[in-house]
Amino acid sequence: MNEPYGNADVRNPNENMALLQAFEAQRPRLLRVAYAIVGSVTEAEDCVQEAWLRVQRMKDPTGIRNLSAFLTTTVGRLALNVLNSARARREHYVGTWLPEPLVEDVGTEDPYEHMAMDESVSMALMVVLERLTAAERTAFLLHDVFGLSFDEIAGVVGRSPAAVRQLASRARQHVESGRPRFAPTQAEQRELVSAFAAACQGGDLERLAHLLDPQVVCRSDGGGKVRTSPRVIHGAEAVAHGLLVFTKGAPLVIKMALVNGAPGFIIRGSDGALSVVSITIDSKRIVAIDVMRNPDKMTTVRIPDET
């Protein structure tokens, strides 16, 4: 970044307040931009905070013509740097790596009334994005998901606009092949998620297998710190067996939650460890189950009303 830095304290207090309000209005979107790129809630928050500090240090931030685009490109550049560093560390990760879950409380009312798929952070998308290069991932997200122009993205990834267009195009092909083809309706979410929870808690192998797509996959991430399956499990029968082994002994607490914008669960097991379960649905069947258990990724997760 080559912004002119100066003393923010010399600005009019009203200008500072207006700038803060404008930034706070952008914060939810910026957090999703950063999270979608890096796959970590904590690191996304750090990127957004650093962007705010950079704006504060500018001599005249009121001269920014498009604050939303400026902040998005700034956060995008910071997140890309974090992702490049994180990719190197993940080469030595123990077991399957999954994104840190983005968990939101659905409240005490009917949770299905609040469920709305958020494509920008869906677990299905996040898993597919891991197959892309850092530049492809950033170009696709900033253009296709968050609406920046190729000219704006060129400065983020250090490529020409034409090269950025090619990066986004290659990424788009991978993403389309990995997305659910038929998104579930709210009624289908209600039926499948409720039936899934009941089958797991009741130890009903036959019912559970019926809910799963024949090619379903189950991924689990313990980071080598808690018990998980060491490999990805494939197929309805194998996944159903694995899930019942995991839930055997009756979890102490199980709560509905929005996990990356889709229905899922927060579980505190009999061993006291937290787990977050994300469910991906396609063609009225569960096609992917992602179980995040690494305690390092549970630091922002809370079970509502737990005593």
Side-chain angles (χ1 to χ4, degrees), residues 218-242:
C218 182
R219 297 171 285 250
S220 54
D221 176 354
K225 300 182 177 183
V226 294
R227 180 176 61 88
T228 60
S229 171
R231 296 177 298 276
V232 177
I233 305 175
H234 298 265
E237 184 175 351
V239 169
H241 274 289

Side-chain angles (χ1 to χ4, degrees), residues 111-130:
Y112 299 96
E113 294 300 319
H114 302 276
M115 288 179 179
M117 294 293 290
D118 186 344
E119 177 61 17
S120 70
V121 295
S122 73
M123 190 59 66
L125 176 61
M126 296 294 288
V127 170
V128 173
L129 291 176
E130 282 300 306

Side-chain angles (χ1 to χ4, degrees), residues 42-269:
T42 303
E43 290 176 329
E45 291 173 342
D46 290 343
C47 289
V48 173
Q49 183 62 24
E50 175 60 25
W52 167 241
L53 293 175
R54 293 191 178 197
V55 171
Q56 281 188 304
R57 291 194 294 261
M58 294 179 67
K59 281 186 178 180
D60 184 20
T62 60
I64 300 173
R65 287 179 294 179
N66 187 332
L67 182 62
S68 177
F70 175 83
L71 289 171
T72 302
T73 55
T74 300
V75 167
R77 186 179 294 111
L78 292 166
L80 177 58
N81 291 338
V82 171
L83 177 61
N84 282 325
S85 176
R87 285 270 170 97
R89 296 195 304 271
R90 289 173 196 170
E91 292 179 1
H92 306 286
Y93 196 80
V94 178
T96 301
W97 185 92
L98 291 172
E100 181 181 347
L102 186 62
V103 181
E104 299 168 278
D105 182 15
V106 294
T108 56
E109 301 175 18
D110 183 355
Y112 299 96
E113 294 300 319
H114 302 276
M115 288 179 179
M117 294 293 290
D118 186 344
E119 177 61 17
S120 70
V121 295
S122 73
M123 190 59 66
L125 176 61
M126 296 294 288
V127 170
V128 173
L129 291 176
E130 282 300 306
R131 306 171 192 167
L132 308 179
T133 67
E136 287 173 340
R137 178 173 183 156
T138 303
F140 168 79
L141 286 167
L142 292 183
H143 181 266
D144 284 39
V145 179
F146 296 105
L148 267 63
S149 69
F150 292 125
D151 286 341
E152 291 168 322
I153 301 168
V156 175
V157 299
R159 311 283 181 92
S160 68
V164 172
R165 184 187 297 273
Q166 292 180 336
L167 287 172
S169 177
R170 288 199 301 268
R172 195 176 301 120
Q173 294 175 18
H174 286 287
V175 170
E176 290 301 324
S177 66
R179 276 175 170 160
R181 295 168 298 169
F182 303 102
T185 65
Q186 189 178 93
E188 288 166 349
Q189 290 179 4
R190 178 194 296 270
E191 180 181 359
L192 280 168
V193 173
S194 296
F196 175 85
C200 285
Q201 290 183 296
D204 190 338
L205 178 63
E206 182 177 356
R207 176 57 176 159
L208 184 56
H210 178 73
L211 300 172
L212 305 177
D213 184 88
Q215 305 302 318
V216 65
V217 297
C218 182
R219 297 171 285 250
S220 54
D221 176 354
K225 300 182 177 183
V226 294
R227 180 176 61 88
T228 60
S229 171
R231 296 177 298 276
V232 177
I233 305 175
H234 298 265
E237 184 175 351
V239 169
H241 274 289
L243 287 170
L244 292 187
V245 169
F246 172 68
T247 56
K248 185 178 180 181
L252 299 179
V253 180
I254 178 168
K255 291 285 187 178
M256 181 74 67
L258 286 180
V259 181
N260 289 66
F265 304 97
I266 309 172
I267 298 172
R268 186 176 296 283

Side-chain angles (χ1 to χ4, degrees), residues 255-285:
K255 291 285 187 178
M256 181 74 67
L258 286 180
V259 181
N260 289 66
F265 304 97
I266 309 172
I267 298 172
R268 186 176 296 283
S270 55
D271 59 358
L274 277 177
S275 302
V276 174
V277 181
S278 170
I279 298 173
T280 301
I281 299 170
D282 190 5
S283 302
K284 301 181 181 181
R285 287 290 185 272

